[in-house]
Amino acid sequence: MSDPTMVKGPSQDVVATEVPLSKSENVSIEEKPASPDSASSSSDSGLKPVPLSFKIASILLVSMIGFGGNWSSGITGAMKTKLKKGLKINNTEYALLDASEDFMKTALVLVSGIVTDRIGGAQAILYGNVIFTIGSILAAAATTVRSYQFLIFGQVVLALGDIATQVAQYKIFSSWFPPGHGFASTLALELAIGKIGSFVGKSTSNIIAENLGDFSWVYWIAVAMNVFTNCITLIFYFFTRYCESRFQGMADPATGEILTEKNKKFELKRIAELPWIFWFVMLFSLVETSGVSVFSANATEMAELRFNVDSITAGWYTSVLQYAGFFLVPLIGIFIDFYGNRLTLMVFTGVLLMAAMCLVHWSVTSQGTAAAFGLYAVAYCFGPTLIIDSIRTSIWSQSVFGSAYGLKVTMNNAQNIIIRIMTGVLQDSSPKSNPYKKVTPVYLFLAICSFVVAAILVVVFVVAKVGKKSIYVDIARLQWTRKERVLNGEWMVMRRREVGFDSAEERMGRGESGVEGGEVEVSEGVRRERERMKLISRGACGVLALWVMGAWAAYFWGVATGNND
């Protein structure tokens, strides 16, 4: 796959020294040092490689934490009908309730990502779960006293805790596993267990409410689940401290990059200069993830209307259709780790989602809706693993993964605010005989956009490969198999230096000549390439900032029009 002509003359001006890189697919993470210096430092410190048993233990602990969080988050969508009746609110007010959590995430999740990169995932997840539990207590109390305004406040506090835990979970995995060598598999296992938690929460919430006579009991049981989650989090925190004192950091077998749990300083400059391919993955997530999220929030109520069943039966239908494929998720992660082809999977996911939303829009019968939910369930299995792993693979340094993931969550929640409030208003203005008549076109539009973005990425990949463009390495990383990624490790390192993503400390550590005041002398061609990449990234950051402000305007529109009264 790699061609020496891909990285032309300018890159040779940058690479003053070669980093010894393995060409073997079977190199273990523990045995592959980033450089002779890092290898000797690890040897001198007397720290041992992390045993496989400890890696498995960390995965299980984080997955148990995720199970509790997903159980709690799965109940709100399933309780939509009972919340509207119990709190005497309409669809727009319910949408605003959902949007309150999204609003807090757009405001603070990026800050949480930056802080998580600095302090580490284990510490961030500990603080986050404590706040999440406090928020769940407030939400349970609000449903008990039937206060809509109080419930919004509880959801805001919940969001503050969720903000910290969301980023921290995946940051932890990124510090243990590099792309193509366990990250996707580990991520997929956690997501699969999370799906089980969401399934249990969503399918049992209406049963609990009916049998106990009050839907507030669902929220109090969620409080108990969160207390359990806090206990597991505390165990994981001390487990991480133990590992830090006894085991050395792991390295990427392809590039030799040392994986870190936390940074020595805030990496704000790197965040503003993330590669262009990262922003394309973000664009796919903008339409795919947000479309799936908004549809999921309304799936139970739609099932009640389309299948003409009560809320309990509808909850079971949507839970089974959305989460029955949980066993596929680890298989998808394993496939991505070994065979890559992330761009191909994006196209496949877009096709499935588009077909499902076509059925939702044009076939209002129970048979058509059942078929749509089935297709949607398969697409739902691919999305999270594919997108999060693509984000990790697309960035040049694992040290800013928390911030990169924070940008994704910020963008998705800004989009959710806009789409949820929009669909809430559209649903209220739709005829009572078909309350989703004006809503389903929105779902269809987002699904079509997800396919179009994925198709564009495939076209760019093919053109860059055939034309041997310098950007080929940027996008090919998403498509390469594990073996191809290791074989092309040197080209990734060279491209990373060419676009200037390595720090002054890293350049000086390699002993490059021409370093004055933290800058290395490069050719004019390389300088122009770096400026172009910086312009793209900073421009994308600016567009995202505008999008977030638009989401805030939509949220405050809901407040100003009295929809939270």
Side-chain angles (χ1 to χ4, degrees):
M1 294 291 290
S2 179
D3 190 328
T5 59
M6 287 188 297
V7 185
K8 300 182 181 179
S11 66
Q12 305 298 331
D13 298 334
V14 178
V15 184
T17 59
E18 292 286 333
V19 177
L21 296 170
S22 171
K23 294 293 183 181
S24 171
E25 182 186 359
N26 298 318
V27 177
S28 69
I29 296 174
E30 296 84 2
E31 295 172 351
K32 176 72 178 66
S35 66
D37 293 339
S38 63
S40 61
S41 63
S42 297
S43 177
D44 293 342
S45 64
L47 299 179
K48 300 178 181 179
V50 182
L52 179 61
S53 59
F54 278 73
K55 293 181 182 180
I56 294 173
S58 78
I59 295 169
L60 293 177
L61 286 171
V62 175
S63 297
M64 290 174 70
I65 295 170
F67 177 89
N70 279 280
W71 192 97
S72 299
S73 62
I75 63 176
T76 302
M79 296 293 292
K80 180 175 181 179
T81 301
K82 284 184 167 54
L83 277 174
K84 288 196 299 183
K85 290 180 180 178
L87 299 178
K88 296 181 175 60
I89 58 177
N90 58 29
N91 288 302
T92 306
E93 289 171 319
Y94 175 84
L96 188 65
L97 177 65
D98 250 1
S100 297
E101 183 175 349
D102 291 328
F103 171 75
M104 291 304 300
K105 289 179 180 178
T106 60
L108 296 176
V109 74
L110 178 56
V111 176
S112 176
I114 295 171
V115 172
T116 300
D117 279 333
R118 176 65 182 85
I119 69 173
Q123 195 167 345
I125 203 171
L126 179 64
Y127 298 149
N129 270 309
V130 171
I131 299 172
F132 191 85
T133 302
I134 294 172
S136 68
I137 294 172
L138 295 175
T143 57
T144 302
V145 300
R146 300 296 194 272
S147 172
Y148 174 63
Q149 294 88 345
F150 190 13
L151 182 57
I152 286 183
F153 176 70
Q155 288 293 106
V156 168
V157 178
L158 267 170
L160 290 173
D162 195 32
I163 285 167
T165 56
Q166 265 194 347
V167 179
Q169 281 180 311
Y170 303 138
K171 174 66 177 180
I172 291 167
F173 290 152
S174 75
S175 65
W176 288 71
F177 303 96
H181 288 79
F183 180 76
S185 304
T186 305
L187 172 69
L189 178 62
E190 190 276 334
L191 289 169
I193 294 174
K195 282 181 179 291
I196 297 174
S198 294
F199 169 75
V200 174
K202 196 165 190 176
S203 59
T204 60
S205 56
N206 281 293
I207 296 175
I208 294 170
E210 291 288 339
N211 290 334
L212 297 182
D214 193 331
F215 69 88
S216 65
W217 277 109
V218 177
Y219 290 86
W220 285 113
I221 292 175
V223 172
M225 180 63 72
N226 289 325
V227 171
F228 163 77
T229 301
N230 277 331
C231 294
I232 301 299
T233 304
L234 191 62
I235 293 172
F236 179 75
Y237 175 75
F238 287 111
F239 171 82
T240 304
R241 295 284 295 272
Y242 177 87
C243 291
E244 286 177 351
S245 64
R246 286 165 175 79
F247 304 120
Q248 67 186 35
M250 288 163 286
D252 187 335
T255 64
E257 177 192 8
I258 293 293
L259 307 182
T260 59
E261 211 272 334
K262 54 187 175 183
N263 301 334
K264 294 180 179 179
K265 61 180 181 179
F266 292 104
E267 299 282 2
L268 299 179
K269 183 175 181 291
R270 287 186 173 186
I271 297 167
E273 297 175 2
L274 290 165
W276 67 273
I277 187 60
F278 163 79
W279 293 105
F280 253 104
V281 174
M282 288 275 283
L283 184 59
F284 179 77
S285 179
L286 176 72
V287 288
E288 195 275 343
T289 304
S290 297
V292 166
S293 176
V294 176
F295 178 77
S296 295
N298 296 321
T300 298
E301 186 176 56
M302 181 179 288
E304 289 182 55
L305 298 170
R306 296 280 179 94
F307 297 128
N308 193 26
V309 294
D310 59 26
S311 59
I312 292 178
T313 306
W316 277 108
Y317 283 172
T318 55
S319 295
V320 170
L321 289 171
Q322 289 177 21
Y323 304 120
F326 73 90
F327 62 92
L328 289 175
V329 180
L331 299 179
I332 294 169
I334 293 170
F335 177 88
I336 293 174
D337 265 337
F338 278 95
Y339 302 108
N341 282 279
R342 296 167 183 85
L343 302 180
T344 306
L345 292 179
M346 285 183 189
V347 173
F348 180 68
T349 303
V351 169
L352 285 177
L353 195 58
M354 187 167 56
M357 294 305 109
C358 282
L359 287 171
V360 166
H361 180 59
W362 280 298
S363 179
V364 296
T365 63
S366 58
Q367 295 88 345
T369 303
F373 278 22
L375 290 171
Y376 166 79
V378 179
Y380 190 69
C381 292
F382 280 85
T385 302
L386 177 60
I387 292 172
I388 298 171
D389 180 76
S390 294
I391 287 175
R392 171 64 187 95
T393 306
S394 67
I395 61 177
W396 291 114
S397 175
Q398 178 267 341
S399 65
V400 294
F401 174 71
S403 303
Y405 183 70
L407 284 169
K408 174 208 177 291
V409 177
T410 298
M411 178 196 68
N412 284 145
N413 284 281
Q415 176 85 331
N416 289 349
I417 290 174
I418 296 170
I419 300 299
R420 281 178 178 170
I421 291 181
M422 179 193 302
T423 53
V425 173
L426 289 173
Q427 187 176 354
D428 283 336
S429 64
S430 296
K432 291 186 178 180
S433 59
N434 186 11
Y436 282 90
K437 181 178 181 180
K438 297 181 180 180
V439 176
T440 53
V442 178
Y443 300 152
L444 179 59
F445 174 76
L446 291 172
I448 292 173
C449 287
S450 67
F451 169 74
V452 170
V453 173
I456 290 173
L457 279 170
V458 171
V459 171
V460 172
F461 169 74
V462 173
V463 171
K465 181 179 180 181
V466 173
K468 297 180 180 178
K469 306 292 185 181
S470 61
I471 63 170
Y472 173 68
V473 177
D474 300 351
I475 193 170
R477 291 177 296 152
L478 296 179
Q479 197 71 347
W480 281 337
T481 64
R482 171 188 286 190
K483 182 177 180 180
E484 289 169 338
R485 187 174 183 275
V486 172
L487 291 175
N488 288 283
E490 288 189 43
W491 299 115
M492 286 192 288
V493 173
M494 291 168 67
R495 178 62 176 168
R496 181 175 184 263
R497 297 176 191 171
E498 182 178 66
V499 297
F501 202 81
D502 48 353
S503 66
E505 291 82 1
E506 290 170 325
R507 292 194 294 267
M508 294 177 69
R510 292 194 301 266
E512 290 187 354
S513 59
V515 178
E516 296 289 344
E519 293 296 330
V520 61
E521 294 180 2
V522 295
S523 70
E524 185 61 28
V526 170
R527 193 180 303 279
R528 286 198 301 268
E529 176 82 353
R530 291 183 179 182
E531 289 302 320
R532 183 164 64 249
M533 293 298 171
K534 289 178 182 179
L535 183 63
I536 291 172
S537 186
R538 290 171 182 175
C541 285
V543 172
L544 177 58
L546 291 175
W547 200 254
V548 170
M549 286 189 283
W552 289 354
Y555 175 82
F556 286 116
W557 170 85
V559 175
T561 53
N563 289 310
N564 63 337
D565 291 338

